Amino acid sequence: MLLATKSDIKMYKKSEPLLLLLLILFCWTSLGQESTRPNIILILADDLGYSDLGCYGSEIKTPHLDNLAANGVRLANMNNAGMCVISRSSILTGKWWPETGYGIKKGENLAEMLKKRNYHTGIIGKWHLDGNPMEKGFDYFFGFLGGYSSYFEGSPDYRLNHEPFSDFGENFYSTDAFSEHAASFIKQSSQLKDKPFFLYLSYQSPHNPLQAPKEEIMKYRGQYLKGWESIRDARIRKQKHLGIVEKQVPLPGYPKNLPLWETLSPDQKDLEDLRMSVFAAMVEHMDSGIGKVIRVLEETGVLDNTLVLFLSDNGTDSFSVMDNEMLKRNLLPGDVGSNYQPGTGWAYASVAPNRLYKISQHNGGIKTGAIAFWPKGILKTNRTNQQPLHVVDIAPTLLELATQEEPKRDKENKDFSGQSFINILENKSWQRNEPMFFQFMDNRAIRTNNWGLVEVDGNGWELYDLKKDPLETHDLASKHPDMVQKLEKKWMSWWKRTSNNDDYRPESTHESLHYKPQGDRGSGEPYVPSAMPRSLKQKYPIDKN
C-alpha cells in the first residue's frame, strides 16, 4: 500500500492543491480497500446429510442456519469429497486430495496463506489432518486432533493451543465448548483493528458417537416412528417447494439393501426412532451454537463484513458397525460411553433426494447443503444457486477476498485445482471451466457440466445425463459406450497426474473394518436394524400422549 509522507503533503500544499487532493483520495482509497477485506468463518459440520437443515428440507429445528440462508445464498450444488479427511484436505488447500496427500502431506493450507496476508487465524473443533494445526499456520487451536471423540468425556488428543487439554467437567459437551471458544476467539480477534480474522469452526456434530443431552433427545422422541420413507418423502416435498429440487425431476428408486419401515418389529422401530432422535438433537444443538457465534459477531460490530460459509464434509454415515457391542454393554444411542452411527435407514432420509451415502462418490456421499452469508458482500439474498461447485473452489475464493485479486490458475502450474466463485456471491454469471473429480476406496466419479460417470463398490461405471437426470436414476452406460470411454480416459489422466501413480488399484470396502459395500442396486450389504432391549425401554421412554 502506498502512503503519503508528511513532507509529500507539505510540498503539495504549497504548490499543487489539485495534486494534493488526488494524493489524499488515492491514500484514502487504498486504506479503504484494506479495511474492506472480510473476516472469514468457515463452519464445517461432520457427516451432515444434504437435507438435514430446515432450509434444505428438514423437520429438524435449525432456525439460525435457516436465517443465514434467508439472508444469504444457498449453494445447493456444492460437492465435497465424500469422506472426512479427503474433503478437509481439499477444503484447506484448494487442491484435489491425491495432489496434496491424504491429510495434507504437502503444500500450504488456507491458514498459512491467510496468515501471510495479515489474517489472525484460529481453528476450533476437529482437525483430523496431519500434524498439529499450531504448526500449520493457526494462531489458536482448541479441539481434538483425531477423527472422533466422546461429546461428554472428550479424549486424550484434545489440545488448547500446544498443550494437552483435559478439563472435561461434569457439564462438558463438545459442541457447546466449540461454540464458546469460537465466541471468545471472535471477541479477541475483533479488537485487532489492523487484522481481519479467519476462523475454521470444525464441529464434530453429528458424527458418531450419537450423543446429546437427554432433554434435547426427548423433544424428538417418537417423531420418527413414521419411518424413514415418510421422513424422506416429506423432505423432498419441502425441497420442491423451496426450489432446491425441480418438481418433475426423476427420483431415485428405493434401495435394494434397505428394509421397508413397515417390515420392522415394534422394538426395531423403537430403537431406530431413538437413533434418529439423538441425531436430530445433535444437529439442533449445533445450530444453537452457531446462533451464539452470530450474536457475538453482532455484539462486536463485525457481522456486516464477515463472510460465514457453512457446509458438511460428506454425506450421512450409513453404517452401524458397533450396534451389537453397544447392546451387549446395555448402552443406547445418546448414552455417555456409547458409539452408535445413523445407519442406512436414516442415512437414506438424510441425503434426500440423493442416492447413497458417506464414502460413496454418488450424490448422497458428496452433495452438501451449503450456505454463504455476508451482509456486506452478497447481492440478492434468499436465493438458491445450482452451479456445480466443489470444495476445491473454497480456498481460491477466500484467498481472492483476502487479497482482492484473483489467484493464479493456469493449466500447467496451478496454484489451485478449483476456481473462485465470488461471482456467485455477487449474483453474477459463473460457469465451471473443468470437470470435477472424485475418488475414495472403490468409489470414484467424474462430472462435467453435462455428464456424470460414477462407480460404487468397484462394480463398474454408471453414466448419467446430469441435465435430464441430476439425481442419477437412469444408467446410460450401455447406451453411450463412447462417452463412458471418453470420460474414463479423462478420469485416468487426472488420477495419474495427481497421485503420481500409473495404475489404479482401489482399496475394497469388502475388506474394511469401518466400511461396508453400500450400493443400492444389489452390491450393498443388507441393513438389519437393531432392536430395543426390553430391559432398556424406559431409559428414553416415548410419551404416548
PDB file of all heavy atoms in Angstrom, residues 492-508:
ATOM      1  N   MET A 492      -8.759 -41.209 -15.682  1.00  0.00           N
ATOM      2  CA  MET A 492      -7.476 -41.874 -15.503  1.00  0.00           C
ATOM      3  C   MET A 492      -6.320 -40.894 -15.660  1.00  0.00           C
ATOM      4  O   MET A 492      -5.317 -40.982 -14.945  1.00  0.00           O
ATOM      5  CB  MET A 492      -7.336 -43.031 -16.500  1.00  0.00           C
ATOM      6  CG  MET A 492      -8.116 -44.277 -16.119  1.00  0.00           C
ATOM      7  SD  MET A 492      -7.685 -44.975 -14.488  1.00  0.00           S
ATOM      8  CE  MET A 492      -5.928 -45.274 -14.703  1.00  0.00           C
ATOM      9  N   SER A 493      -6.463 -39.972 -16.580  1.00  0.00           N
ATOM     10  CA  SER A 493      -5.427 -38.952 -16.759  1.00  0.00           C
ATOM     11  C   SER A 493      -5.292 -38.105 -15.494  1.00  0.00           C
ATOM     12  O   SER A 493      -4.175 -37.794 -15.047  1.00  0.00           O
ATOM     13  CB  SER A 493      -5.773 -38.077 -17.963  1.00  0.00           C
ATOM     14  OG  SER A 493      -4.839 -37.031 -18.104  1.00  0.00           O
ATOM     15  N   TRP A 494      -6.434 -37.740 -14.926  1.00  0.00           N
ATOM     16  CA  TRP A 494      -6.417 -36.974 -13.673  1.00  0.00           C
ATOM     17  C   TRP A 494      -5.773 -37.786 -12.557  1.00  0.00           C
ATOM     18  O   TRP A 494      -4.940 -37.267 -11.800  1.00  0.00           O
ATOM     19  CB  TRP A 494      -7.858 -36.607 -13.284  1.00  0.00           C
ATOM     20  CG  TRP A 494      -7.993 -36.113 -11.873  1.00  0.00           C
ATOM     21  CD1 TRP A 494      -7.737 -34.850 -11.425  1.00  0.00           C
ATOM     22  CD2 TRP A 494      -8.408 -36.874 -10.724  1.00  0.00           C
ATOM     23  NE1 TRP A 494      -7.967 -34.773 -10.067  1.00  0.00           N
ATOM     24  CE2 TRP A 494      -8.387 -36.006  -9.612  1.00  0.00           C
ATOM     25  CE3 TRP A 494      -8.806 -38.193 -10.525  1.00  0.00           C
ATOM     26  CZ2 TRP A 494      -8.737 -36.419  -8.323  1.00  0.00           C
ATOM     27  CZ3 TRP A 494      -9.152 -38.605  -9.256  1.00  0.00           C
ATOM     28  CH2 TRP A 494      -9.116 -37.732  -8.167  1.00  0.00           C
ATOM     29  N   TRP A 495      -6.143 -39.045 -12.429  1.00  0.00           N
ATOM     30  CA  TRP A 495      -5.620 -39.892 -11.357  1.00  0.00           C
ATOM     31  C   TRP A 495      -4.107 -40.039 -11.465  1.00  0.00           C
ATOM     32  O   TRP A 495      -3.383 -39.898 -10.464  1.00  0.00           O
ATOM     33  CB  TRP A 495      -6.298 -41.251 -11.391  1.00  0.00           C
ATOM     34  CG  TRP A 495      -5.737 -42.225 -10.387  1.00  0.00           C
ATOM     35  CD1 TRP A 495      -4.934 -43.291 -10.636  1.00  0.00           C
ATOM     36  CD2 TRP A 495      -5.928 -42.189  -8.969  1.00  0.00           C
ATOM     37  NE1 TRP A 495      -4.601 -43.937  -9.478  1.00  0.00           N
ATOM     38  CE2 TRP A 495      -5.206 -43.272  -8.427  1.00  0.00           C
ATOM     39  CE3 TRP A 495      -6.630 -41.357  -8.106  1.00  0.00           C
ATOM     40  CZ2 TRP A 495      -5.167 -43.547  -7.059  1.00  0.00           C
ATOM     41  CZ3 TRP A 495      -6.587 -41.624  -6.741  1.00  0.00           C
ATOM     42  CH2 TRP A 495      -5.871 -42.709  -6.236  1.00  0.00           C
ATOM     43  N   LYS A 496      -3.622 -40.299 -12.645  1.00  0.00           N
ATOM     44  CA  LYS A 496      -2.179 -40.477 -12.829  1.00  0.00           C
ATOM     45  C   LYS A 496      -1.428 -39.187 -12.514  1.00  0.00           C
ATOM     46  O   LYS A 496      -0.353 -39.211 -11.900  1.00  0.00           O
ATOM     47  CB  LYS A 496      -1.885 -40.924 -14.269  1.00  0.00           C
ATOM     48  CG  LYS A 496      -2.355 -42.338 -14.579  1.00  0.00           C
ATOM     49  CD  LYS A 496      -2.132 -42.686 -16.052  1.00  0.00           C
ATOM     50  CE  LYS A 496      -2.632 -44.079 -16.378  1.00  0.00           C
ATOM     51  NZ  LYS A 496      -2.450 -44.428 -17.808  1.00  0.00           N
ATOM     52  N   ARG A 497      -1.999 -38.058 -12.939  1.00  0.00           N
ATOM     53  CA  ARG A 497      -1.318 -36.769 -12.731  1.00  0.00           C
ATOM     54  C   ARG A 497      -1.291 -36.366 -11.262  1.00  0.00           C
ATOM     55  O   ARG A 497      -0.269 -35.909 -10.744  1.00  0.00           O
ATOM     56  CB  ARG A 497      -2.012 -35.679 -13.555  1.00  0.00           C
ATOM     57  CG  ARG A 497      -1.461 -34.279 -13.333  1.00  0.00           C
ATOM     58  CD  ARG A 497      -2.126 -33.265 -14.234  1.00  0.00           C
ATOM     59  NE  ARG A 497      -3.568 -33.225 -14.083  1.00  0.00           N
ATOM     60  CZ  ARG A 497      -4.202 -32.574 -13.101  1.00  0.00           C
ATOM     61  NH1 ARG A 497      -3.507 -31.903 -12.190  1.00  0.00           N
ATOM     62  NH2 ARG A 497      -5.523 -32.566 -13.039  1.00  0.00           N
ATOM     63  N   THR A 498      -2.403 -36.530 -10.580  1.00  0.00           N
ATOM     64  CA  THR A 498      -2.486 -36.031  -9.206  1.00  0.00           C
ATOM     65  C   THR A 498      -1.911 -36.998  -8.175  1.00  0.00           C
ATOM     66  O   THR A 498      -1.423 -36.575  -7.119  1.00  0.00           O
ATOM     67  CB  THR A 498      -3.940 -35.718  -8.822  1.00  0.00           C
ATOM     68  OG1 THR A 498      -4.736 -36.902  -8.973  1.00  0.00           O
ATOM     69  CG2 THR A 498      -4.495 -34.598  -9.695  1.00  0.00           C
ATOM     70  N   SER A 499      -1.967 -38.302  -8.470  1.00  0.00           N
ATOM     71  CA  SER A 499      -1.496 -39.295  -7.494  1.00  0.00           C
ATOM     72  C   SER A 499      -0.084 -39.784  -7.786  1.00  0.00           C
ATOM     73  O   SER A 499       0.501 -40.504  -6.973  1.00  0.00           O
ATOM     74  CB  SER A 499      -2.440 -40.505  -7.479  1.00  0.00           C
ATOM     75  OG  SER A 499      -2.366 -41.233  -8.694  1.00  0.00           O
ATOM     76  N   ASN A 500       0.461 -39.406  -8.965  1.00  0.00           N
ATOM     77  CA  ASN A 500       1.762 -39.917  -9.413  1.00  0.00           C
ATOM     78  C   ASN A 500       1.774 -41.442  -9.425  1.00  0.00           C
ATOM     79  O   ASN A 500       2.758 -42.087  -9.065  1.00  0.00           O
ATOM     80  CB  ASN A 500       2.901 -39.392  -8.519  1.00  0.00           C
ATOM     81  CG  ASN A 500       3.141 -37.917  -8.725  1.00  0.00           C
ATOM     82  OD1 ASN A 500       3.142 -37.434  -9.857  1.00  0.00           O
ATOM     83  ND2 ASN A 500       3.342 -37.187  -7.635  1.00  0.00           N
ATOM     84  N   ASN A 501       0.659 -41.998  -9.826  1.00  0.00           N
ATOM     85  CA  ASN A 501       0.504 -43.449  -9.867  1.00  0.00           C
ATOM     86  C   ASN A 501      -0.020 -43.824 -11.246  1.00  0.00           C
ATOM     87  O   ASN A 501      -1.091 -43.367 -11.652  1.00  0.00           O
ATOM     88  CB  ASN A 501      -0.487 -43.895  -8.780  1.00  0.00           C
ATOM     89  CG  ASN A 501      -0.487 -45.388  -8.572  1.00  0.00           C
ATOM     90  OD1 ASN A 501      -0.100 -46.152  -9.447  1.00  0.00           O
ATOM     91  ND2 ASN A 501      -0.941 -45.808  -7.395  1.00  0.00           N
ATOM     92  N   ASP A 502       0.709 -44.659 -11.963  1.00  0.00           N
ATOM     93  CA  ASP A 502       0.315 -45.023 -13.319  1.00  0.00           C
ATOM     94  C   ASP A 502      -0.787 -46.068 -13.369  1.00  0.00           C
ATOM     95  O   ASP A 502      -1.311 -46.380 -14.442  1.00  0.00           O
ATOM     96  CB  ASP A 502       1.529 -45.546 -14.101  1.00  0.00           C
ATOM     97  CG  ASP A 502       2.507 -44.436 -14.442  1.00  0.00           C
ATOM     98  OD1 ASP A 502       2.060 -43.274 -14.500  1.00  0.00           O
ATOM     99  OD2 ASP A 502       3.693 -44.727 -14.621  1.00  0.00           O
ATOM    100  N   ASP A 503      -1.144 -46.604 -12.216  1.00  0.00           N
ATOM    101  CA  ASP A 503      -2.171 -47.640 -12.175  1.00  0.00           C
ATOM    102  C   ASP A 503      -3.235 -47.236 -11.159  1.00  0.00           C
ATOM    103  O   ASP A 503      -3.006 -46.409 -10.291  1.00  0.00           O
ATOM    104  CB  ASP A 503      -1.546 -48.981 -11.777  1.00  0.00           C
ATOM    105  CG  ASP A 503      -2.468 -50.158 -12.089  1.00  0.00           C
ATOM    106  OD1 ASP A 503      -3.498 -49.934 -12.746  1.00  0.00           O
ATOM    107  OD2 ASP A 503      -2.145 -51.283 -11.673  1.00  0.00           O
ATOM    108  N   TYR A 504      -4.425 -47.804 -11.299  1.00  0.00           N
ATOM    109  CA  TYR A 504      -5.493 -47.556 -10.334  1.00  0.00           C
ATOM    110  C   TYR A 504      -5.893 -48.874  -9.712  1.00  0.00           C
ATOM    111  O   TYR A 504      -6.490 -49.737 -10.361  1.00  0.00           O
ATOM    112  CB  TYR A 504      -6.705 -46.899 -11.020  1.00  0.00           C
ATOM    113  CG  TYR A 504      -7.905 -46.763 -10.110  1.00  0.00           C
ATOM    114  CD1 TYR A 504      -7.845 -45.977  -8.960  1.00  0.00           C
ATOM    115  CD2 TYR A 504      -9.092 -47.430 -10.396  1.00  0.00           C
ATOM    116  CE1 TYR A 504      -8.937 -45.856  -8.121  1.00  0.00           C
ATOM    117  CE2 TYR A 504     -10.206 -47.312  -9.561  1.00  0.00           C
ATOM    118  CZ  TYR A 504     -10.119 -46.527  -8.416  1.00  0.00           C
ATOM    119  OH  TYR A 504     -11.195 -46.409  -7.592  1.00  0.00           O
ATOM    120  N   ARG A 505      -5.545 -49.047  -8.448  1.00  0.00           N
ATOM    121  CA  ARG A 505      -5.898 -50.258  -7.721  1.00  0.00           C
ATOM    122  C   ARG A 505      -6.636 -49.858  -6.448  1.00  0.00           C
ATOM    123  O   ARG A 505      -6.025 -49.572  -5.418  1.00  0.00           O
ATOM    124  CB  ARG A 505      -4.646 -51.061  -7.375  1.00  0.00           C
ATOM    125  CG  ARG A 505      -3.912 -51.581  -8.612  1.00  0.00           C
ATOM    126  CD  ARG A 505      -2.719 -52.423  -8.248  1.00  0.00           C
ATOM    127  NE  ARG A 505      -2.017 -52.887  -9.434  1.00  0.00           N
ATOM    128  CZ  ARG A 505      -0.909 -53.639  -9.399  1.00  0.00           C
ATOM    129  NH1 ARG A 505      -0.385 -53.992  -8.229  1.00  0.00           N
ATOM    130  NH2 ARG A 505      -0.329 -54.029 -10.528  1.00  0.00           N
ATOM    131  N   PRO A 506      -7.947 -49.814  -6.503  1.00  0.00           N
ATOM    132  CA  PRO A 506      -8.713 -49.314  -5.362  1.00  0.00           C
ATOM    133  C   PRO A 506      -8.695 -50.272  -4.177  1.00  0.00           C
ATOM    134  O   PRO A 506      -8.579 -51.487  -4.325  1.00  0.00           O
ATOM    135  CB  PRO A 506     -10.126 -49.183  -5.925  1.00  0.00           C
ATOM    136  CG  PRO A 506     -10.193 -50.209  -7.008  1.00  0.00           C
ATOM    137  CD  PRO A 506      -8.821 -50.222  -7.620  1.00  0.00           C
ATOM    138  N   GLU A 507      -8.825 -49.702  -2.988  1.00  0.00           N
ATOM    139  CA  GLU A 507      -8.976 -50.483  -1.764  1.00  0.00           C
ATOM    140  C   GLU A 507     -10.439 -50.893  -1.638  1.00  0.00           C
ATOM    141  O   GLU A 507     -11.340 -50.060  -1.742  1.00  0.00           O
ATOM    142  CB  GLU A 507      -8.561 -49.633  -0.561  1.00  0.00           C
ATOM    143  CG  GLU A 507      -8.668 -50.334   0.763  1.00  0.00           C
ATOM    144  CD  GLU A 507      -8.339 -49.416   1.918  1.00  0.00           C
ATOM    145  OE1 GLU A 507      -7.960 -48.250   1.674  1.00  0.00           O
ATOM    146  OE2 GLU A 507      -8.482 -49.860   3.080  1.00  0.00           O
ATOM    147  N   SER A 508     -10.697 -52.160  -1.416  1.00  0.00           N
ATOM    148  CA  SER A 508     -12.067 -52.660  -1.401  1.00  0.00           C
ATOM    149  C   SER A 508     -12.742 -52.415  -0.055  1.00  0.00           C
ATOM    150  O   SER A 508     -12.158 -52.639   1.007  1.00  0.00           O
ATOM    151  CB  SER A 508     -12.087 -54.158  -1.704  1.00  0.00           C
ATOM    152  OG  SER A 508     -13.392 -54.678  -1.544  1.00  0.00           O
TER     153      SER A 508
END
